[in-house]
């Protein structure tokens, strides 16, 4: 008798927690991902800003799941999904049949219909994105050093970060630290400390999902680090020379996009209702309406009151694994309930905000908590130790380990 | 009164040692490199084989030389050199005049007139090369796992390394370790331990510059690690499917080139005699015949009895800095004398060969010496410590830290 086939698409936090939750289940499990690694995305901005190397926040999926004997890992991208035939089509021509399907593909950069902006304002979703951003940031200072015309030099020394959410705040805060400390004294024709870091936010405050008083504290901390914050500005154009906001322009040769993500386009194969961002409006057990055999977890799932953050994806993945295990035993499951362990956003050295139920922290204590939590959750012991050493070294020396331009920016 | 202008082109071992030798000289020093980092090339094969991250063996040139107040670092590539006008033309349009010029551009991959082989057989000279090779090696196992046709699967599991010098031996030995240990047990459709690693050497022994008995010991160690060594084979073709040696063919989807390097084409601007590999036949003080103001160090310099290895480049760089310092004081210098501190080549875990004057070592003691020497010479304390930890961890666990495919191989 063959075992029920379960396929998980995507091995981020949602997919990996679902896979690990099925490790002892009597199923034939296949995990499909288009990369060979699970990525600790909360620290991706550190790779982009030359604080960590790419391998420090990545672990091979095949290695993590090697001991799980019921599990096969496939490197591949889903091209099509036939919900009637219960069949996935992969990019290398293979087909994959399933009895239970878990979709955990995550989200992609989203330019609100202005895809032409993408080449000028890379977003931060993959390791490749992070290395591209790293190359652009480091190259901008080199270009400024070589440039004689003052206006062009100023444009190379102006960095625009679009979007004042967690990613934008992290990028802007770290950029300010690089300019003020890491690179200080290493150039002869420019003073990197005079670089301008402008964080552009459409609403009237940074970190909009946080309580208003923490948003204000984040703003104060950003400005103390040297970031110029522009609020209530609507970006109307991005090109090779900078950012347009209506009639206003900011001349900036380096523009980073942290303003929006959209759900993976995989949701469109389901024939189920999607929300404005393309997320699937799932049932209380995270299954797709009309398709109890398909589950959606992580950023692709629209669930009221559940934010698009790593802890939520993990909880959804673990929940769906439990639902499948129970279903195989003929037992029904209670609806998914999100447990809110709080939210943290880091801003820079000794600067962060934390909200944890009624507890609100900012500044050094928040930063310390952020540090401990992130070190703790890094995927395996070795990464944890090495990242801790990297950070301790960076903290005391202001140096940044990974200041290497491997290839010319695109 | 303006100071004499010294320009150093290239910041590998030769260029960096020359720059540091001039740190207290009354000169205006400019260091030009087309990358932003000094690279510890003896460990580049570890980045290519996923043992170390790229930043672990690289250090920003600007940072290394930051405290040297007479020195300006420029990111740029030399497009032309006018020896009459004493002027360098850089890629971004800038011109750089010099009174003393030190050329230390290193070498490039060389396919003996068969540049069409290059896309199928990447060489190992830059970080970009290393990451390309890493992606190809890791992707080959993934492709084999997805492949149903046995002949094609076998071709994905066959790795050809062309060239039995130090780089070829290191790559082949490490590939065997990855297949036999690192990846064992992580696949479901293939057994990575059955991968074939074939080292192809044209002459009758590996490591030709070493004494014959050490070449033999290296051969024995390679075979013990699981490498198939083919000697006396002349490669006549490389394509997408493998390697041709006359009528014989090896079907291999992954081919690595370690058979030859040529001197940088910069030597052609000098109008001076070059040897067969394009190296400049320099005077006893490493200056260019007819141009006492131009020096050549490292792989571009042809000096009898001096091998193209890092210690030789360092000695030449330091020597030329001394010649320039003395010349500014009106003092002549004795000819360059190479001090032979021996040669080391690593083969794999506990396997290496060392020749040090009359002392010859192989196996574990040679490997231990290789390890200590390489850790010691890593550019700064932090890298040394981190690389040591990386290696200790890899040694005990057989895992490899950097098993991350960042982007699809080209």
């Amino acid at each position: 008798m063959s075992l029920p086939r379960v396929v998980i698409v995507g091995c981020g936090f949602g997919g990996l927690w679902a896979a690990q939750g099925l490790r002892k289940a009597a199923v034939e499990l296949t995990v499909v991902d288009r990369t060979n690694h699970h990525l600790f995305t909360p620290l991706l901005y550190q790779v982009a800003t030359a604080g960590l190397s790419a391998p420090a926040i990545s672990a091979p999926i095949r290695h993590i799941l090697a001991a799980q004997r019921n599990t096969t890992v496939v490197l591949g991208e889903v091209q099509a999904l036939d919900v009637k035939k219960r069949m996935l089509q992969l990019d290398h021509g293979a087909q994959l049949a399933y009895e239970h399907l878990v979709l955990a593909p995550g989200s992609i950069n989203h330019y609100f219909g202005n895809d032409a902006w993408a080449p000028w304002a890379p977003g931060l979703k993959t390791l490749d994105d992070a290395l591209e951003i790293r190359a652009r940031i480091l190259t901008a200072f080199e270009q400024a050093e070589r440039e004689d015309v003052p206006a062009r030099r100023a444009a190379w020394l102006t960095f625009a970060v679009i979007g004042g959410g967690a990613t934008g705040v992290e990028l802007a805060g770290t950029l300010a630290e690089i300019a003020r400390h890491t690179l200080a004294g290493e150039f002869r024709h420019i003073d990197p400390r005079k670089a301008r870091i402008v964080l552009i936010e459409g609403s009237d405050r940074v970190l909009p999902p946080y309580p208003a008083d923490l948003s204000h504290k984040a703003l104060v901390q950003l400005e103390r680090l040297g970031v110029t914050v522009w609020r209530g500005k609507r970006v109307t154009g991005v090109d090779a020379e900078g950012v347009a906001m209506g009639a206003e322009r900011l001349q900036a040769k380096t523009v980073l996009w942290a303003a929006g993500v959209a759900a993976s386009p995989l949701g469109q194969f389901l024939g189920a209702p999607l929300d404005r961002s393309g997320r699937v409006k799932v049932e209380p057990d995270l299954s797709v309406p009309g398709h109890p055999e398909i589950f959606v977890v992580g950023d692709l799932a629209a669930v009221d009151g559940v934010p698009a953050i790593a802890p939520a994806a993990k909880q959804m993945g673990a929940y769906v694994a439990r639902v499948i295990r129970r279903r195989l035993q003929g037992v029904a499951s209670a609806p998914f309930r999100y447990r809110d362990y709080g939210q943290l956003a880091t801003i820079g050295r000794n600067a962060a905000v934390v909200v944890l139920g009624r507890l609100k922290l900012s500044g050094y204590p928040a930063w310390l908590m952020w540090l401990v939590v992130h070190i703790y959750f890094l995927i395996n012991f070795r990464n944890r130790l090495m990242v801790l050493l990297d950070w301790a070294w960076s903290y005391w020396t202001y140096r940044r380990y990974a200041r290497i331009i491997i290839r010319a920016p695109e």
Side-chain angles (χ1 to χ4, degrees), chain A residues 16-269:
Chain A
L16 181 54
W17 260 249
Q20 291 183 327
L22 291 168
R23 74 177 166 282
K24 289 178 184 162
V27 299
E28 197 182 284
L29 176 62
T30 304
V31 176
V32 182
D33 197 290
R34 55 182 170 184
T35 74
N36 81 330
H37 49 275
H38 172 77
L39 193 58
F40 194 81
T41 43
L43 291 179
L44 194 55
Y45 83 98
Q46 282 282 351
V47 176
T49 55
L52 290 174
S53 73
I57 61 158
S58 328
I61 296 167
R62 201 172 280 297
H63 180 73
I64 307 174
L65 298 174
Q68 223 168 286
R69 299 311 299 179
N70 64 351
T71 305
T72 301
V73 176
V74 177
L75 177 72
E77 191 161 1
V78 173
Q79 298 284 344
L81 160 58
D82 187 330
V83 294
K84 289 213 182 87
K85 291 189 184 154
R86 301 190 175 179
M87 186 78 83
L88 288 159
Q89 179 74 44
L90 300 188
D91 56 341
H92 55 291
Q95 291 192 319
L96 213 51
Y98 62 84
E99 273 92 52
H100 305 271
L101 176 64
V102 181
L103 291 179
S107 52
I108 56 174
N109 292 312
H110 185 50
Y111 293 86
F112 306 118
N114 302 291
D115 287 349
W117 300 354
W120 313 115
L124 184 60
K125 293 301 293 177
T126 64
L127 275 184
D128 211 21
D129 289 344
L131 294 180
E132 173 67 21
I133 288 175
R134 187 202 285 174
R136 289 194 189 203
I137 293 170
L138 297 174
T139 303
F141 287 98
E142 299 291 338
Q143 293 280 12
E145 172 84 350
R146 312 197 312 190
E147 182 61 64
D148 292 322
V149 181
R152 284 199 293 222
R153 179 174 283 182
W156 281 116
L157 284 177
T158 304
F159 298 81
V161 179
I162 303 177
T167 302
V169 164
E170 286 161 359
L171 285 172
T174 315
L175 266 167
E177 180 175 325
I178 290 175
R180 294 262 184 117
H181 296 285
T182 308
L183 300 181
E186 299 196 3
F187 291 82
R188 299 295 180 252
H189 302 295
I190 60 165
D191 182 351
R193 288 170 301 178
K194 300 214 169 114
R196 256 180 106 195
I197 322 293
V198 183
L199 179 63
I200 304 171
E201 164 60 31
S203 79
D204 63 345
R205 59 188 177 99
V206 297
L207 298 176
Y210 284 73
D213 55 338
L214 281 187
S215 284
H216 180 72
K217 284 186 173 152
L219 174 68
V220 171
Q221 293 178 75
L222 278 166
E223 289 178 339
R224 198 178 297 145
L225 287 167
V227 177
T228 305
V229 182
W230 289 354
R231 290 167 293 158
K233 297 267 183 188
R234 213 183 160 68
V235 171
T236 54
V238 183
D239 56 39
E241 302 305 323
V243 182
M245 291 143 286
E248 204 176 347
R249 267 196 75 88
L250 175 67
Q251 297 300 102
K253 293 294 270 182
T254 311
V255 181
L256 307 180
W257 185 260
V261 293
S264 155
L266 263 191
Q268 288 155 16
F269 288 109

Side-chain angles (χ1 to χ4, degrees), chain A residues 348-365:
Chain A
R349 178 176 296 260
N350 304 342
V353 290
V354 168
V355 52
L356 213 163
R358 270 168 306 184
L359 175 70
K360 290 186 264 181
L361 297 175
S362 69
Y364 188 72

